[in-house]
Amino acid sequence: LHSFVRNKSNKAIVWTAIEVFSRLMIAFVVGKWTKKSAKKMMELTKSRLKTNPLVITTDGLGRYTELVPEYFPTSLYAQVVKKYKKHKLDSVEIKAINGELEKIIQVIEAMGLGKTVNTSYIERQNLTVRNTVNSLARKTWCVVKKHLASVGKMYVHQVFYNFIKAHMGLEGKTPAMVA
């Protein structure tokens, strides 16, 4: 997810983490496309979890291959790497980073989360964020005037998403109720 602060040349990236079973939005960071922001995201996520997750899946961002095993060394970890040609999805590659791919898929199946490694839950959550936070909508004229405004909007969204919005996939409960 990305937005703009003051003008279209000042891009801000929104990093998010969710817990899949409850859909609880664990953490977010509004920052740059840098290792520093990625590290901040990992630190914030780790600080809000009691234990390391059994399985972690991310998109193909290279920074994750170093940071996820560093912050979550006991977690099985796989990446979903999407390759595009002329702005269209060409192929999807699944890479096991921490653990064997077969073992990761077995655990995902045993947890009832499908039959393969995917990022569909976070992608769905990102769509919800885009539809809720106007400055994150695609092809929008809306930009925030200050970085703090982006962070504020995300805090409001996080409270709404976790504590107020009932989810059909959670039988009409909120993520906080399920967590």
Side-chain angles (χ1 to χ4, degrees):
L1 289 170
H2 71 272
S3 182
F4 302 97
V5 179
R6 259 190 229 117
N7 59 52
K8 295 271 184 170
S9 65
N10 190 9
K11 192 183 256 190
I13 303 298
V14 180
W15 307 71
T16 57
I18 63 168
E19 191 279 322
V20 172
F21 290 112
S22 67
R23 314 298 196 272
L24 191 74
M25 186 177 182
I26 299 167
F28 72 88
V29 170
V30 179
K32 299 285 182 190
W33 203 250
T34 62
K35 186 175 180 178
K36 181 180 175 185
S37 290
K39 238 179 155 167
K40 187 175 178 183
M41 182 66 201
M42 292 296 153
E43 290 166 359
L44 192 56
T45 302
K46 182 146 180 98
S47 74
R48 294 184 177 175
L49 297 173
K50 289 182 182 178
T51 61
N52 281 350
L54 190 55
V55 177
I56 296 174
T57 61
T58 67
D59 60 21
L61 185 64
R63 290 179 187 93
Y64 292 142
T65 58
E66 174 189 337
L67 293 174
V68 171
E70 178 184 331
Y71 284 89
F72 304 99
T74 60
S75 298
L76 297 169
Y77 170 46
Q79 277 191 323
V80 178
V81 181
K82 295 179 180 177
K83 296 186 180 177
Y84 294 87
K85 282 187 181 173
K86 297 182 182 179
H87 304 289
K88 291 189 179 187
L89 184 63
D90 183 51
S91 65
V92 177
E93 180 185 359
I94 298 170
K95 291 183 181 179
I97 308 297
N98 200 13
E100 294 179 15
L101 187 57
E102 294 78 25
K103 172 74 173 165
I104 294 169
I105 291 172
Q106 282 178 342
V107 171
I108 288 171
E109 284 180 8
M111 291 166 53
L113 298 173
K115 298 188 181 295
T116 188
V117 177
N118 67 64
T119 56
S120 60
Y121 291 100
I122 193 72
E123 288 173 9
R124 177 65 188 105
Q125 200 271 344
N126 286 344
L127 178 61
T128 301
V129 173
R130 273 193 210 102
N131 287 329
T132 307
V133 181
N134 60 351
S135 59
L136 294 173
R138 288 188 174 156
K139 296 186 180 181
T140 182
W141 288 96
C142 185
V143 295
V144 292
K145 293 182 180 176
K146 296 184 178 181
H147 174 77
L148 189 58
S150 281
V151 175
K153 287 179 180 194
M154 282 302 298
Y155 275 120
V156 170
H157 169 75
Q158 186 178 29
V159 170
F160 170 75
Y161 183 84
N162 285 342
F163 296 99
I164 299 169
K165 184 182 186 324
H167 296 248
M168 289 188 331
L170 300 175
E171 299 175 356
K173 296 177 184 170
T174 67
M177 293 166 94
V178 175

